[in-house]
C-alpha cells in the first residue's frame, strides 16, 4: 500500500513581501528552518505523515533577505527521513551562511565515521531525533539509543536535537543528567501552554537549562498554544526559559511552518515578537548572534 495517500498537503507560508518592524543585529541567525523540495529533484519519503508544498532554498534565501537575517541553520524535516540530500545540497552551496542538523538511521552502526566526517565537512553540527510527529509515536523515549547515538557524535562536537513533549517526561532532568553531548529542545520543549510552567517535565527542562546541560529553541510558539498572534498564552514559557538561562537560548523562524493547522503567521510578525518578549537589546543579540555562533560553530563576525 502506498502510505503517501495518508500524507495530507500542508498550507503554504504567507507569501506577502513584508519586513519586520524590529531590526535584527548584524550576524543574526535563524536557527530553525527547513528546505523542502523541489519534490521533483528531492522526493519525499513514502512513510511521511504530511506533504509540504515546495519550500526551496531560493525561496528561503529571499525570506532571509526580507527578514534581514544573515545566517541560518537548516534542520532535516521528517518528510525526508534519513535522506539528507536536499539539506546537504543547500549547505554545500553556501558553506559560510548555512549550518545543518541532520537525521541519521536509528541503528548507529548503519553509518560509519567517514560518513559522519563528510556530514561535518558539509556543515552539519547536530543530529535530530523526532520523538513526536512520526508515523509510529508509540515508541516513547529510546534513551539507550539516544546515548549510543550521542557517543558516536561526541568526537565531532555535535549536539542532539530532540523534538519531544517535555511535559510527558516528569523525570526529564534525571534521565539526561549525565548525557554525553549537549541537548537542544525544539519549540520551547514542545510543552503546550495549557500545562503551565510548573509542569514537572517543563521544570526538568528548566533545570537542564540552569545547569547548562541543554539549549532551548525559541521556535514555533503557534505550536504550543491555542491562540493566534501574539500567542499571549505561551508567553509565561518564554519568560521562564529566559529567566533560567538566556545564554542557552536560540531563535528560529520554523519556516515554512509545516503541519500548521491554525492561522498561518507572517514571518515578519514572528520576528516582531522578539521586541516585547526579549526587551533587552544586549540579550536579544546574545540569542540571535552570540549563542548560535557557539552552538552551530559559525565564525565570529569582525567587529
Amino acid at each position: 500500500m502506498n502510505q503517501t495517500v495518508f500524507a495530507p498537503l500542508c498550507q503554504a507560508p504567507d507569501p506577502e513581501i513584508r519586513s519586520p518592524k524590529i531590526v535584527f543585529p548584524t550576524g543574526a541567525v535563524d536557527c530553525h528552518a527547513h528546505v523542502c523540495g523541489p519534490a521533483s529533484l528531492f522526493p519525499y519519503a513514502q512513510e511521511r505523515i504530511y506533504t509540504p508544498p515546495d519550500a526551496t532554498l531560493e525561496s528561503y534565501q529571499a525570506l532571509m533577505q526580507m527578514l534581514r537575517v544573515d545566517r541560518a541553520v537548516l534542520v532535516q524535516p521528517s518528510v525526508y527521513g534519513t535522506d539528507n540530500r536536499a539539506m546537504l545540497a543547500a549547505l554545500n552551496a553556501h558553506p559560510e551562511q548555512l549550518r545543518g542538523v541532520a537525521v541519521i538511521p536509528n541503528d548507529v552502526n548503519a553509518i560509519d565515521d567517514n560518513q559522519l566526517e563528510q556530514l561535518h565537512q558539509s556543515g552539519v553540527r547536530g543530529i535530530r531525533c523526532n520523538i513526536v510527529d512520526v508515523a509510529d509515536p508509540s515508541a516513547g523515549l529510546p534513551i539507550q539509543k539516544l546515548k549510543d547515538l550521542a557517543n558516536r557524535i561526541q568526537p565531532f562536537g555535535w549536539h542532539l536535537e530532540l523534538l519531544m513533549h517535555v511535559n510527558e517526561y516528569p523525570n526529564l532532568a534525571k534521565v539526561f543528567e549525565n548525557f554525553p553531548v549537549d541537548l537542544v529542545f525544539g519549540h520551547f520543549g514542545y510543552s503546550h501552554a495549557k500545562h503551565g510552567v510548573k509542569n514537572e517535565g517543563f521544570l526538568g527542562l528548566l533545570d537542564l537549562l540552569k545547569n547548562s546541560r541543554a539549549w532551548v529553541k525559541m521556535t514555533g510558539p503557534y505550536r504550543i498554544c491555542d491562540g493566534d498572534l501574539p500567542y499571549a498564552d505561551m508567553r509565561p514559557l518564554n519568560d521562564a526559559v529566559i529567566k533560567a538561562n538566556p545564554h542557552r537560548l536560540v531563535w528560529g523562524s520554523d519556516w515554512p511552518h509545516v503541519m500548521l493547522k491554525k492561522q498561518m503567521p507572517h514571518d515578519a510578525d514572528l520576528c516582531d515578537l522578539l521586541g516585547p518578549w526579549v526587551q533587552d537589546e544586549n540579550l536579544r543579540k546574545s540569542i540571535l548572534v552570540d549563542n548560535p555562533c557557539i552552538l552551530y560553530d559559525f565564525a565570529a563576525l569582525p567587529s
Side-chain angles (χ1 to χ4, degrees):
M1 179 182 294
N2 187 344
Q3 296 187 47
T4 60
V5 172
F6 304 104
L9 184 67
C10 297
Q11 61 174 316
D14 190 328
E16 181 188 3
I17 305 300
R18 173 162 58 90
S19 295
K21 298 173 184 176
I22 193 172
V23 177
F24 279 3
T26 300
V29 183
D30 177 354
C31 293
H32 196 92
H34 309 291
V35 167
C36 303
S40 58
L41 184 60
F42 301 109
Y44 304 122
Q46 292 289 309
E47 64 273 16
R48 68 189 185 276
I49 62 173
Y50 66 89
T51 301
D54 278 353
T56 64
L57 174 63
E58 292 73 22
S59 295
Y60 177 61
Q61 287 186 306
L63 177 77
M64 290 178 68
Q65 186 174 10
M66 183 175 71
L67 301 181
R68 297 186 289 267
V69 169
D70 296 316
R71 300 177 289 192
V73 179
L74 301 180
V75 179
Q76 172 79 342
S78 63
V79 290
Y80 279 125
T82 60
D83 181 358
N84 296 285
R85 287 180 299 162
M87 181 193 67
L88 291 175
L91 300 187
N92 289 323
H94 301 278
E96 300 300 322
Q97 185 184 43
L98 302 175
R99 294 288 184 269
V101 177
V103 173
I104 63 175
N106 288 333
D107 180 5
V108 295
N109 296 318
I111 186 169
D112 60 34
D113 287 343
N114 287 334
Q115 291 171 299
L116 292 177
E117 178 62 34
Q118 289 174 5
L119 290 175
H120 188 81
Q121 293 300 323
S122 292
V124 168
R125 292 299 181 266
I127 295 296
R128 189 189 202 197
C129 291
N130 286 8
I131 312 300
V132 297
D133 293 350
V134 292
D136 180 14
S138 62
L141 185 62
I143 187 62
Q144 189 54 54
K145 287 186 177 180
L146 293 178
K147 286 183 177 179
D148 292 343
L149 179 56
N151 286 324
R152 283 295 306 278
I153 67 175
Q154 186 182 40
F156 297 93
W158 293 0
H159 62 268
L160 191 65
E161 178 173 333
L162 296 172
L163 183 63
M164 60 182 289
H165 300 299
V166 298
N167 56 283
E168 296 178 355
Y169 300 92
N171 298 320
L172 189 77
K174 185 66 176 177
V175 167
F176 288 115
E177 186 176 23
N178 297 305
F179 204 70
V181 299
D182 276 356
L183 295 160
V184 177
F185 291 86
H187 308 328
F188 294 90
Y190 220 175
S191 180
H192 195 281
K194 66 184 179 183
H195 299 299
V197 296
K198 298 299 184 182
N199 171 270
E200 289 296 323
F202 188 74
L203 288 174
L205 175 62
L206 296 181
D207 283 343
L208 291 171
L209 267 180
K210 291 174 184 175
N211 293 311
S212 296
R213 297 297 301 156
W215 301 72
V216 166
K217 285 187 169 183
M218 304 170 71
T219 55
Y222 41 78
R223 300 190 186 277
I224 55 174
C225 69
D226 293 324
D228 290 318
L229 277 162
Y231 313 120
D233 48 340
M234 68 76 52
R235 174 68 183 271
L237 279 69
N238 171 86
D239 295 348
V241 296
I242 290 176
K243 183 178 180 181
N245 191 346
H247 301 294
R248 284 274 170 151
L249 304 178
V250 295
W251 173 87
S253 68
D254 194 29
W255 187 87
H257 319 292
V258 297
M259 281 189 70
L260 185 56
K261 298 178 175 64
K262 58 168 60 175
Q263 180 179 348
M264 178 64 69
H266 193 282
D267 288 274
D269 294 327
L270 294 175
C271 291
D272 284 334
L273 288 175
L274 280 181
W277 287 12
V278 187
Q279 297 181 23
D280 184 281
E281 288 190 11
N282 291 327
L283 180 54
R284 200 182 304 146
K285 179 179 178 294
S286 292
I287 293 170
L288 289 170
V289 182
D290 303 332
N291 300 351
C293 284
I294 295 171
L295 181 59
Y296 297 104
D297 189 30
F298 280 109
L301 295 179
S303 55

